[in-house]
């Protein structure tokens, strides 16, 4: 599969901003996605960005896309303990397949 | 939330036995997917379906087969389970394949002893 890489762990203090990073390898990606997975649950779609966009904001979430560097980031403003979860980035290239990163485990410290 | 139900939610079985996992959707979506989730690997695609009786292999299809006889049901079968297939299995659906975000079920935790 395609290489979609994420750092494994991130810890932040409650109220701070969290930035979760992702790099991908295929420049023909059409959409890039962020999912959240809480313990014992499936993945929940948080947001997605079309590959011709640079930024998308949705309430506390900001997605930045740097196509030149093939770098995607998810910023969570005013991080809360309920944001503790595993966050996956994913890319959709062509056809009907998605490629997921390995996930970043976010821990929010009260 | 998208109407996706996976069954069973948990299963423990022995090596060499056949296992079938079921995914049922109420959204009438065309595309259905089976993924497995393992530590250090994220989610990997096993098989997917783009319509009734239309299926194709994903990244890690060896040892697995699928069937889709109705729009709403997508079955994943392990013909002869092995310990390496111990994993959490997720079903996902999509209205239009790669151009539309997928929605996921809550997963089936399968342990093969």
């Amino acid at each position: 599969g395609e290489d979609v890489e994420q750092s494994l762990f991130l810890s932040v203090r409650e109220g701070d901003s969290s930035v979760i990073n992702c790099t991908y390898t295929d420049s023909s990606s059409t959409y890039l996605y962020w999912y959240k997975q809480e313990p014992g649950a499936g993945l929940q779609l948080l947001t997605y960005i079309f590959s011709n966009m640079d930024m998308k904001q949705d309430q506390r979430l900001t997605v930045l896309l740097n196509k030149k560097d093939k770098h995607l980031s998810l910023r969570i403003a005013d991080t809360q303990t309920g944001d503790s979860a595993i966050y996956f980035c994913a890319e959709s290239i062509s056809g009907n397949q998605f490629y997921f990163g390995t996930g970043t485990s976010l821990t929010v410290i009260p | 939330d998208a109407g996706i139900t996976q069954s069973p939610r948990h299963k423990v079985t022995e090596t060499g036995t056949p296992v079938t996992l079921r995914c049922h959707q109420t959204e009438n979506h065309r595309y259905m997917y089976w993924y497995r989730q393992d530590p250090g690997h994220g989610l990997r695609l096993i098989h997917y379906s783009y319509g009734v009786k239309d299926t194709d292999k994903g990244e890690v299809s060896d040892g697995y087969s699928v069937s889709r006889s109705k729009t709403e049901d997508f079955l994943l079968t392990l013909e002869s389970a092995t310990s390496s297939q111990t994993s959490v299995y997720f079903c996902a659906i999509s209205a239009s394949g790669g151009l539309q975000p997928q929605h996921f079920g809550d997963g089936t935790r399968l342990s093969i002893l």
Side-chain angles (χ1 to χ4, degrees), chain A residues 22-93:
Chain A
C22 172
T23 57
Y24 59 97
T25 56
D26 197 308
S27 58
S28 61
S29 296
T30 51
Y31 286 90
L32 295 134
Y33 304 81
W34 284 104
Y35 290 84
K36 176 183 181 182
Q37 184 182 33
E38 298 186 25
L43 277 70
Q44 172 196 356
L45 178 66
L46 288 178
T47 187
Y48 63 96
I49 188 168
F50 190 48
S51 58
N52 69 353
M53 297 170 62
D54 297 322
M55 185 183 87
K56 181 178 180 181
Q57 187 152 3
D58 184 1
Q59 299 183 339
R60 291 191 299 122
L61 305 179
T62 303
V63 179
L64 295 178
L65 176 60
N66 181 329
K67 290 183 286 295
K68 175 175 171 291
D69 295 337
K70 299 189 185 66
H71 183 266
L72 181 74
S73 67
L74 174 69
R75 178 178 181 270
I76 306 173
D78 187 24
T79 312
Q80 302 298 307
T81 54
D83 295 323
S84 291
I86 301 175
Y87 290 81
F88 291 91
C89 66
E91 61 173 344
S92 169
I93 298 172

Side-chain angles (χ1 to χ4, degrees), chain B:
Chain B
D1 287 345
I4 308 170
T5 305
Q6 290 186 231
S7 59
R9 292 295 314 280
H10 304 271
K11 187 172 181 68
V12 180
T13 191
E14 294 183 345
T15 301
T17 59
V19 177
T20 295
L21 308 182
R22 180 179 182 241
C23 178
H24 178 79
Q25 59 140 334
T26 58
E27 305 297 317
N28 202 35
H29 282 357
R30 178 181 174 190
Y31 295 86
M32 299 185 75
Y33 309 76
W34 277 107
Y35 289 90
R36 59 179 289 175
Q37 183 180 25
D38 303 289
H41 290 280
L43 275 81
R44 293 180 292 175
L45 182 66
I46 305 171
H47 282 280
Y48 67 97
S49 170
Y50 47 96
V52 173
K53 292 191 169 65
D54 292 324
T55 65
D56 206 349
K57 295 179 180 180
E59 185 183 357
V60 290
S61 60
D62 287 348
Y64 302 95
S65 63
V66 290
S67 66
R68 190 158 176 212
S69 58
K70 298 185 288 185
T71 298
E72 57 266 33
D73 289 326
F74 192 32
L75 303 180
L76 176 71
T77 298
L78 290 65
E79 301 289 348
S80 178
T82 67
S83 58
S84 65
Q85 293 175 310
T86 292
S87 187
V88 181
Y89 291 84
F90 287 97
C91 173
I93 64 173
S94 175
S96 56
L99 302 179
Q100 185 102 358
Q102 296 181 342
H103 303 279
F104 286 80
D106 289 336
T108 294
R109 186 171 294 275
L110 177 62
S111 297
I112 300 163
L113 307 177

